[in-house]
Amino acid sequence: MKPDDPLLKILACPLDKGPLHLLAEEAGQEEALYNPRLRRRYPIVDGIPQLLPSSGEQVSDDEHEELLQRMTP
C-alpha cells in the first residue's frame, strides 16, 4: 500500500472508527496500519488490510514510541 493510496482516507479502526496511519515496510518490519489512540496495529497481508477487531494487536509502551516514529504522515 502506498502513502497516497485513496483507500487510506476511508479506512478506519474497527474499534473506535478513527483514522489509521500507514506504517511503511522497513527492515524486518512488515507493513501495517496503526491506531495510536488505542495503541493497536493491524497487519496488511498481500496488500489487503486485516481490519477485524481480532486481527489487531495491542502494542507495548516502548513499541508505541517506535511506531510513532515509523508513521507515514
Side-chain angles (χ1 to χ4, degrees), residues 10-22:
I10 62 171
L11 290 177
C13 175
L15 299 175
D16 74 356
K17 311 300 186 234
L20 295 167
H21 299 275
L22 179 64

Side-chain angles (χ1 to χ4, degrees), residues 14-72:
L15 299 175
D16 74 356
K17 311 300 186 234
L20 295 167
H21 299 275
L22 179 64
L23 299 174
E25 189 172 354
E26 287 186 359
Q29 305 263 352
E30 293 185 1
E31 191 175 40
L33 293 171
Y34 186 57
N35 178 342
R37 299 169 305 284
L38 300 179
R39 297 183 179 197
R40 291 188 65 81
R41 176 179 46 213
Y42 297 93
I44 298 175
V45 179
D46 295 328
I48 301 169
Q50 307 298 304
L51 293 177
L52 293 173
S54 61
S55 296
E57 66 177 342
Q58 199 72 34
V59 300
S60 67
D61 290 340
D62 291 337
E63 193 172 7
H64 170 70
E65 293 302 321
E66 178 188 323
L67 294 177
L68 288 177
Q69 306 254 335
R70 280 183 58 202
M71 282 180 12
T72 302

